[in-house]
Amino acid sequence: MSSLEDAAAEQGPETMEPIPAENDANAAHIITVTVGATVPTGFEHTAAEEVKEKIGVDVHISKDRGRIYFPITTDKLFQVHLLRSVDNLFVVVDRYDHYTFKESKEETLKELQELASKLPWTNALEVWKLNRSFKKKKCFRKGGSGAKTKPNTEAVDATTEEQDLPQAAAAVETQANVEGIPEEEESTEAAPEAKVIKFRVTCSRAGDKHSFSSNEAARDFGGAVQEFFQWKADMTKFDVEVLLNIHNDEVVIGIALTEESLHRRNISHFGPTTLRSTLCYGMLRLCKPQASDIILDPMCGTGAIPLEGAIEFNSSFYVAGDNNDMAVNRTVNNVFHIQRRRADKGSASGMPIDTVRWDLCSLPIRTSSIDIIITDMPFGKRMGSRKKNWDLYPSCLREMARVCRPGSGKAVLLTQDKKCFSKALSRMGGLWRKLHTVWVNVGGLHAGVFLLKRTANTFGQTPEDVYESRGANNAQEEEKELS
């Protein structure tokens, strides 16, 4: 596995670097804060293992699926941006595990307004400022709906997360001077002493026992934050994004540390079903690649899985392939993009990955030569169809069993077509054994990541092989007779 320093070379526009102590005025003032992270649902424990391994701290897994929390000191803050399993990061202002909401909507919203002025903002804002100070490149994240706001009016920006959680952003415009404004911020309309921080409040809420909506919570809490700090609102070019996360009776207030999700770090050429890099990392970690392993992605699409593997688990070799010319070209372009980015930073540009165009059901690979197979199978939604999957899945599993090493080989397969996959797997009982299943959310679809172990049975000698071979031969004979 690559080191933190190696991983740093792969980060995109939000590359983080440690700050030399002699250049940091706050180096002597090290504080400990709690950082929250959103991760692919189902892979919370995988993310917790990575944090423990790379940062050395214990992790609390939230009741709200897809979120973890862990302590970090400010001198190690840059390390959280090098984690491969997290989508977004935020510093926790305060957290309530069992928050008691009032019965009426008016009382609850009033209480949220009052809460804004009682929260311990100091450390969180100090971490936010430190986080901005060592970003190599500054960029603004656009609001979810791109809604425009007018000065001196309330505005609400509603979006929806992949976990189907309603989001809302609310802010009230004002102009004022505040403390702790970054030196790099410049204003053409005001004197240096009148610089302002721009902000927005984003609310994520889950649960059916709340008397208020996400929009209402964001609006009222955002108005109270604005009144307390005298900040200026900007829905797209904001400096501070205040997060209000409500999951049943759990309430977490935080400040975002990432301006765009880290899952987009590897891909420059996207396809119709590009897999998130953070989910790819979770799948790779599930199969525990070892040095010198040959890892195959027979349906690579844009190459998201082998790219993540070649960067993080670079002691293995990756073979990526697809039957679609456009998919193969996208993978090649994405590999070239990473290589060029490495070369620009003075790092070695070589990567242990190769790309091939092939027929999935007839791979040009020697029998029993692959250690790990990991791929995103067609869901039958945007790619392929459910009807075709009933023929495709059994053929795929059989060909994968042929090239995979008996007794030690593994497969990690992602699919949303669980019924078809289970039926196909039951027909391969002599070749594959299911070890573990992780249920994940992929673009709002409930999918499964299946970890399979290749049995020790020799390919071509199990009842499943004989049945499949006879069926294939009969089909070929029928085609010849018809022709």
Side-chain angles (χ1 to χ4, degrees):
M1 186 179 297
S2 63
S3 64
L4 289 177
E5 288 78 11
D6 293 333
E10 304 306 329
Q11 300 299 311
E14 292 197 7
T15 301
M16 318 303 289
E17 287 187 343
I19 305 174
E22 61 270 21
N23 296 331
D24 184 8
N26 297 321
H29 181 54
I30 296 176
I31 60 175
T32 300
V33 295
T34 298
V35 167
T38 59
V39 302
T41 55
F43 281 106
E44 294 88 353
H45 289 280
T46 300
E49 290 174 3
E50 186 195 11
V51 172
K52 181 67 175 179
E53 178 184 297
K54 295 182 177 179
I55 302 180
V57 296
D58 293 325
V59 176
H60 169 73
I61 299 176
S62 172
K63 294 180 292 184
D64 183 8
R65 290 194 72 200
R67 296 184 194 275
I68 62 172
Y69 300 94
F70 55 92
I72 192 80
T73 53
T74 48
D75 61 323
K76 297 181 180 179
L77 182 64
F78 74 97
Q79 293 182 0
V80 302
H81 291 270
L82 304 180
L83 296 172
R84 310 295 294 186
S85 58
V86 304
D87 290 317
N88 290 285
L89 295 157
F90 58 94
V91 56
V92 175
V93 176
D94 209 350
R95 187 174 79 207
Y96 304 88
D97 291 330
H98 302 284
Y99 191 90
T100 303
F101 292 99
K102 302 293 185 181
E103 293 185 2
S104 70
K105 178 170 70 175
E106 290 75 15
E107 289 179 325
T108 300
L109 294 177
K110 183 179 180 181
E111 193 173 62
L112 287 176
Q113 291 176 357
E114 294 173 350
L115 181 64
S117 60
K118 300 176 182 178
L119 293 171
W121 296 96
T122 305
N123 285 352
L125 286 172
E126 190 171 333
V127 168
W128 165 79
K129 184 179 179 182
L130 175 64
N131 187 68
R132 285 171 60 93
S133 69
F134 55 59
K135 284 182 180 177
K136 279 187 176 180
K137 182 178 179 181
K138 180 187 171 195
C139 57
F140 290 105
R141 178 178 59 188
K142 293 184 179 180
S145 66
K148 296 181 179 179
T149 59
K150 297 180 180 180
N152 303 317
T153 61
E154 293 186 349
V156 175
D157 175 52
T159 59
T160 304
E161 288 185 329
E162 281 194 339
Q163 291 97 339
D164 294 331
L165 296 179
Q167 283 192 357
V172 182
E173 297 279 358
T174 187
Q175 294 197 10
N177 183 20
V178 295
E179 296 179 358
I181 298 172
E183 295 180 0
E184 68 268 23
E185 289 295 318
E186 295 182 358
S187 174
T188 58
E189 299 178 358
E193 62 272 10
K195 295 173 186 175
V196 296
I197 285 181
K198 300 175 183 177
F199 88 109
R200 90 171 186 181
V201 171
T202 301
C203 176
S204 298
R205 184 184 62 86
D208 54 3
K209 295 183 179 180
H210 301 136
S211 60
F212 55 91
S213 67
S214 302
N215 288 350
E216 291 169 333
R219 179 197 64 203
D220 286 37
F221 185 74
V225 170
Q226 179 273 330
E227 185 176 350
F228 181 70
F229 287 107
Q230 294 296 291
W231 286 343
K232 177 181 178 181
D234 192 312
M235 305 301 289
T236 56
K237 294 184 178 181
F238 45 86
D239 302 307
V240 181
E241 182 174 23
V242 178
L243 306 175
L244 176 61
N245 298 325
I246 302 172
H247 182 262
N248 292 323
D249 61 346
E250 182 185 61
V251 177
V252 180
I253 299 94
I255 297 177
L257 299 179
T258 48
E259 291 170 342
E260 71 173 358
S261 178
L262 301 178
H263 80 262
R264 301 169 62 91
R265 56 181 172 256
N266 298 334
I267 307 300
S268 58
H269 294 72
F270 289 83
T273 58
T274 300
L275 207 60
R276 296 155 64 188
S277 296
T278 47
L279 182 55
C280 297
Y281 176 83
M283 293 172 65
L284 284 157
R285 197 176 176 99
L286 194 62
C287 61
K288 299 177 181 178
Q290 302 297 314
S292 77
D293 276 352
I294 306 298
I295 301 178
L296 172 70
D297 184 352
M299 294 177 275
C300 65
T302 58
I305 294 174
L307 267 173
E308 182 67 22
I311 292 170
E312 182 66 8
F313 304 93
N314 54 18
S315 296
S316 303
F317 186 80
Y318 299 83
V319 183
D322 206 290
N323 67 344
N324 185 285
D325 286 327
M326 292 182 65
V328 173
N329 289 336
R330 289 191 189 104
T331 300
V332 171
N333 287 328
N334 284 324
V335 172
F336 177 72
H337 170 73
I338 297 293
Q339 291 176 325
R340 185 172 57 184
R341 195 165 73 190
R342 283 180 161 190
D344 291 343
K345 294 180 179 180
S347 304
S349 60
M351 298 181 69
I353 184 172
D354 202 358
T355 309
V356 187
R357 186 188 184 282
W358 55 34
D359 177 4
L360 169 64
C361 298
S362 182
L363 296 172
I365 295 176
R366 184 184 305 161
T367 299
S368 305
S369 61
I370 300 298
D371 297 290
I372 296 173
I373 298 172
I374 179 167
T375 195
D376 174 17
M377 302 182 76
F379 287 12
K381 298 284 188 180
R382 284 175 287 183
M383 295 292 289
S385 68
R386 290 295 182 93
K387 185 177 180 180
K388 291 181 180 179
N389 283 351
W390 285 97
D391 294 325
L392 178 65
Y393 279 22
S395 299
C396 289
L397 287 172
R398 184 176 182 277
E399 185 66 359
M400 290 176 187
R402 181 185 70 80
V403 302
C404 199
R405 296 188 192 278
S408 62
K410 291 176 283 188
V412 177
L413 309 177
L414 169 66
T415 179
Q416 193 260 342
D417 197 347
K418 300 177 285 291
K419 182 178 179 181
C420 179
F421 181 82
S422 298
K423 185 67 175 178
L425 188 62
S426 67
R427 293 172 58 183
M428 298 289 125
L431 298 172
W432 292 110
R433 181 165 58 91
K434 184 169 68 172
L435 298 180
H436 185 57
T437 304
V438 178
W439 301 110
V440 297
N441 185 304
V442 182
L445 299 175
H446 183 62
V449 176
F450 299 90
L451 174 61
L452 309 180
K453 177 73 178 293
R454 177 68 166 87
T455 66
N457 292 332
T458 303
F459 182 83
Q461 297 182 5
T462 65
E464 292 79 8
D465 296 331
V466 174
Y467 174 82
E468 292 289 341
S469 298
R470 286 176 179 173
N473 292 333
N474 291 338
Q476 291 177 0
E477 290 176 2
E478 290 177 1
E479 289 180 2
K480 290 179 180 180
E481 292 175 1
L482 291 174
S483 60

